[in-house]
Amino acid sequence: MRTVAHISDLHFGRIDPRVVEALAEDLEEQKPSLAIISGDLTQRARRSQFREARAFLDRLSMPYMVIPGNHDIPNFNLLGRFIDPYRNYKRYISNDLCPVHQDDDLVVVGINTVRPLIWDFAEGRINSKQIERMHRTLKAAGPDRFKIFFTHHPFLPPPDSPKTTLVGRARKALRRLEDAGVDLMLAGHLHKAYSGDIMSHHTKVERSILVAQASTATSTRLRNEPNAYNFISIEGAGEDASVTFLVRSWEGARFTPGLLSRYVRSGTRWVLQEQDPGLSPVS
């Protein structure tokens, strides 16, 4: 079994220090095989905020992957946003905006969906070059490894808000994700935690793909949810795979296990086999 901590929307510059400390401690206790951080490490892309984010990343004892979010490029500094939007991100976090991880069990591809040169840069897009790079890497991995694709901007809206704006060119990307055999898609941006099948919204998709969205891990900018992250347990690959999502939520003193959702492959479809809103033995 492999375990993944899916963390998003840290927003250093607008955080609760107690939550940051508790998150670092909980990750050390849970010991995931890999941490995936799906963007918005900072609130305003300032150097001081990136330094705080860097200090947090340096505390992680597990391998991690990270991509930027729309808050990780300058907002009010228009010149900086147009000339060198990722300057601070690359200096303090990573030069790689589209990271790849491969081992015997997992293949993970992250894509930067931030678009600094569009007017409403809070909304994201994926371009044709990125789509083909993602497809090439995941397709080449073959059918015997579990495949994860992650972005900052979402491909699946919340169940209670189906008209939420999704990442641009989602339909084109999904056709290639289907062909590449992707099993799981992760994202953030909305500060809401939920999971489901991409087919529940994109009715023309022919391949069942799991999706998990993460809440904000440490920001004080909450949207009727506590700070939380997803602890994901993965067993097997292909038709023998099963995935368990456990939302670990801040409850005032520490992160504790909350909603648990377990999906299993049944032929070509993911089926929700178990959902438990209370405490779980998987902790």
Side-chain angles (χ1 to χ4, degrees):
M1 181 175 71
R2 300 300 297 273
T3 54
V4 173
H6 172 213
I7 305 161
S8 199
D9 297 81
L10 292 153
H11 287 286
F12 280 97
R14 188 173 175 177
I15 52 91
D16 184 334
R18 298 175 304 153
V19 179
V20 173
E21 186 64 26
L23 175 61
E25 292 174 356
D26 197 64
L27 290 169
E28 193 62 30
E29 290 177 9
Q30 303 308 315
K31 293 181 170 53
S33 309
L34 177 70
I36 293 175
I37 304 167
S38 54
D40 277 2
L41 283 82
T42 67
Q43 180 64 17
R44 289 291 178 230
R46 294 174 180 146
R47 282 177 291 179
S48 60
Q49 297 170 2
F50 276 116
R51 284 194 290 266
E52 291 182 66
R54 178 74 262 167
F56 174 80
L57 294 176
D58 287 344
R59 296 181 64 179
L60 301 181
S61 61
M62 74 291 301
Y64 66 85
M65 304 174 69
V66 59
I67 54 172
N70 53 286
H71 278 263
D72 295 322
I73 63 173
N75 185 354
F76 302 111
N77 179 359
L78 297 180
L79 185 63
R81 192 167 90 226
F82 282 90
I83 292 177
D84 195 1
Y86 301 104
R87 180 180 180 182
N88 288 335
Y89 181 90
K90 289 182 175 180
R91 178 179 179 183
Y92 293 101
I93 306 301
S94 176
N95 282 314
D96 191 353
L97 303 182
C98 297
V100 175
H101 168 89
Q102 299 196 53
D103 59 37
D104 291 342
D105 302 309
L106 295 177
V107 181
V108 188
V109 175
I111 291 292
N112 173 28
T113 53
V114 179
R115 292 295 175 267
L117 299 184
I118 63 175
W119 179 251
D120 189 4
F121 68 95
E123 307 305 336
R125 285 188 179 185
I126 184 168
N127 63 38
S128 297
K129 185 177 179 179
Q130 290 175 317
I131 291 171
E132 291 312 309
R133 180 182 187 228
M134 166 273 299
H135 177 265
R136 183 169 59 250
T137 302
L138 293 168
K139 184 82 169 179
D144 298 326
R145 288 185 283 179
F146 193 90
K147 301 178 182 182
I148 301 174
F149 175 67
F150 73 102
T151 55
H152 178 64
H153 296 88
F155 279 77
L156 184 71
D160 60 351
S161 188
K163 294 185 179 180
T164 296
T165 300
L166 302 177
V167 64
R169 299 191 180 93
R171 291 182 181 179
K172 181 177 181 180
L174 283 169
R175 288 195 295 269
R176 302 302 274 164
L177 287 163
E178 283 186 82
D179 186 68
V182 168
D183 299 294
L184 172 62
M185 300 166 62
L186 305 175
H189 187 57
L190 301 178
H191 295 202
K192 289 180 175 290
Y194 55 93
S195 62
D197 192 326
I198 199 72
M199 298 178 78
S200 66
H201 180 78
H202 297 276
T203 56
K204 293 185 179 180
V205 171
E206 297 179 359
R207 186 178 190 277
S208 182
I209 304 173
L210 277 180
V211 177
Q213 289 284 138
S215 184
T216 170
T218 57
S219 174
T220 57
R221 190 185 177 196
L222 302 172
R223 294 178 182 165
N224 300 316
E225 292 186 10
N227 293 112
Y229 73 96
N230 295 324
F231 191 83
I232 305 169
S233 301
I234 301 165
E235 295 189 67
E239 293 185 5
D240 297 321
S242 66
V243 179
T244 300
F245 301 113
L246 178 64
V247 180
R248 295 192 63 85
S249 303
W250 167 252
E251 298 298 342
R254 61 191 299 266
F255 280 82
T256 59
L259 177 65
L260 180 146
S261 304
R262 183 170 184 266
Y263 294 82
V264 297
R265 274 280 189 190
S266 178
T268 60
R269 299 293 298 270
W270 286 105
V271 177
L272 179 61
Q273 189 175 68
E274 175 187 1
Q275 193 161 67
D276 183 356
L279 295 179
S280 161
V282 183
S283 61

